[in-house]
Amino acid sequence: MTLDLLSSLLGLICVFLAGRNSKYNFWAGYLYPAALFLLFWNKSLYANLLLQPISLAINILGHYRWTHPRAEERSSEDENKLKVSMLTWPQRIYTLIAIALVAVTWGWTLDALFPGDPHPYLDSVVTVQIGR
């Protein structure tokens, strides 16, 4: 099985299980960044490659938070489930501004680290949005 297919399959399993509100999505999610790291290493996609350790750390934190929610994060209908919420409009605007600033900073960093990369800013915008 190729690395492309394996990483795609792990990502689909992770999303499928997360969509079912299953804490088991995290186990596929632990393998997913490792597969992506190797894939991006082979394809020289450095912005995405450098994001994978961060993605793994976020996954570990998310797994802990999902299995150990705070009282205000529990659903009022079922204490065993998490409350689903949405960002307010000011939070959405702040998030878009933060994405733009981080993307420019990340693009500059990639340009400094990997001067041969022809598209560090485009790569960084996609990476920052995916990581968000």
Side-chain angles (χ1 to χ4, degrees), residues 3-129:
L3 199 51
D4 299 21
L5 184 58
L6 177 64
S7 61
S8 297
L9 183 62
L10 286 169
L12 289 172
I13 290 170
C14 187
V15 170
F16 176 79
L17 291 173
R20 302 279 179 282
N21 205 17
S22 171
K23 64 183 174 191
Y24 299 108
N25 77 80
F26 292 103
W27 297 105
Y30 292 136
L31 298 174
Y32 184 49
L36 288 178
F37 185 92
L38 295 173
L39 176 68
F40 295 144
W41 177 274
N42 290 334
K43 305 288 184 183
S44 299
L45 296 171
Y46 301 115
N48 289 321
L49 176 139
L50 294 175
L51 183 66
Q52 298 318 305
I54 297 167
S55 179
L56 179 61
I58 291 169
N59 195 45
I60 291 168
L61 177 64
H63 190 181
Y64 177 79
R65 295 298 311 265
W66 192 314
T67 56
H68 300 85
R70 297 179 188 145
E72 67 270 9
E73 295 171 335
R74 296 182 189 274
S75 172
S76 59
E77 298 169 4
D78 183 353
E79 194 172 300
N80 294 324
K81 294 189 177 185
L82 298 176
K83 178 173 43 174
V84 177
S85 61
M86 293 182 61
L87 294 175
T88 64
W89 278 105
Q91 289 172 325
R92 291 175 189 176
I93 292 168
Y94 170 76
T95 300
L96 289 175
I97 292 169
I99 287 172
L101 292 174
V102 171
V104 169
T105 304
W106 188 239
W108 178 84
T109 302
L110 289 175
D111 199 29
L113 290 174
F114 309 107
D117 189 352
H119 307 293
Y121 290 95
L122 181 59
D123 197 16
S124 69
V125 169
V126 173
T127 301
V128 168
Q129 289 177 345

